[in-house]
Amino acid sequence: SLREGEQGSKAARARQRKEEEERERERRIGETRAKAGPSLREEELKRLSAALAPHELRLHEIAADGHCLYRSIAHQLAAGDEASALDFRHCRRLAAEYIRSHADDFLPFLLAEHEFSDGLLESYCSQVELSSEWGGQLEITAIAHASRRCIAVHSADAPLLLTGAEYEGNGPRLQLAYHRHYYGLGEHYNALVPAD
């Protein structure tokens, strides 16, 4: 009927108008980005890529969910065929257990960040093991010693950081990338894999 044809063409014109508005919006966003120059993330990635090139490494993207350090290490352990069933929970447990069993080595660092209390160490270890709180150098140190593996952390703005260098002969390094500006939320870890 004529009425249906009019309605169909009205809907088609509305869709076309909406598509044109969206294209115009995307064009304006692109112009704004081009004028703004590279983002902190883009600049950091460029410097990191240059630092990784001599090592023939590239990024392997890891989810940004609070478990990125542990997921990156689990990825590296599985890549070395150590037990592909390893996951981030195993790495969290490994770190917590090592910190608990070597309290004297870790307590001074915890006291630098936290008020002393009788349950400080256990509370911290429970958080490492059971939460999605991100990990850092203390946890890297614990996992390196617990797994008896060298962990290499590459970043755009610092020299290569080796933790557990005494374990170099126990298998390939666990290669991580540390980012300060990868996501708007802040720091992030990715795994590294051989460049193709």
Side-chain angles (χ1 to χ4, degrees), residues 40-110:
L40 291 174
R41 178 181 196 245
E42 291 166 332
E43 289 292 328
E44 181 180 49
L45 283 173
K46 190 184 300 180
R47 290 189 313 276
L48 180 60
S49 291
L52 293 175
H55 301 282
E56 298 181 345
L57 295 170
R58 68 175 173 80
L59 291 179
H60 174 82
E61 188 99 19
I62 298 293
D65 60 359
H67 304 293
C68 62
L69 170 66
Y70 306 100
R71 287 184 192 280
S72 295
I73 292 172
H75 174 274
Q76 293 290 288
L77 288 168
D81 237 15
E82 306 222 355
S84 54
L86 294 180
D87 68 0
F88 73 91
R89 288 176 287 273
H90 169 81
C91 293
R92 282 186 167 279
R93 193 170 35 260
L94 197 62
E97 288 171 0
Y98 190 86
I99 293 169
R100 278 184 189 107
S101 64
H102 296 84
D104 292 344
D105 295 335
F106 291 91
L107 203 52
F109 298 99
L110 294 178

Side-chain angles (χ1 to χ4, degrees), residues 85-154:
L86 294 180
D87 68 0
F88 73 91
R89 288 176 287 273
H90 169 81
C91 293
R92 282 186 167 279
R93 193 170 35 260
L94 197 62
E97 288 171 0
Y98 190 86
I99 293 169
R100 278 184 189 107
S101 64
H102 296 84
D104 292 344
D105 295 335
F106 291 91
L107 203 52
F109 298 99
L110 294 178
L111 290 173
E113 299 284 323
H114 305 278
E115 191 71 30
F116 176 77
S117 70
D118 284 340
L120 173 63
L121 186 78
E122 185 49 42
S123 170
Y124 185 83
C125 290
S126 291
Q127 181 178 322
V128 167
E129 191 169 10
L130 303 171
S131 78
S132 61
E133 185 72 25
W134 67 278
Q137 189 57 39
L138 284 181
E139 293 76 22
I140 289 171
T141 300
I143 294 170
H145 290 298
S147 65
R148 302 183 62 77
R149 292 291 295 278
C150 178
I151 299 177
V153 180
H154 302 259

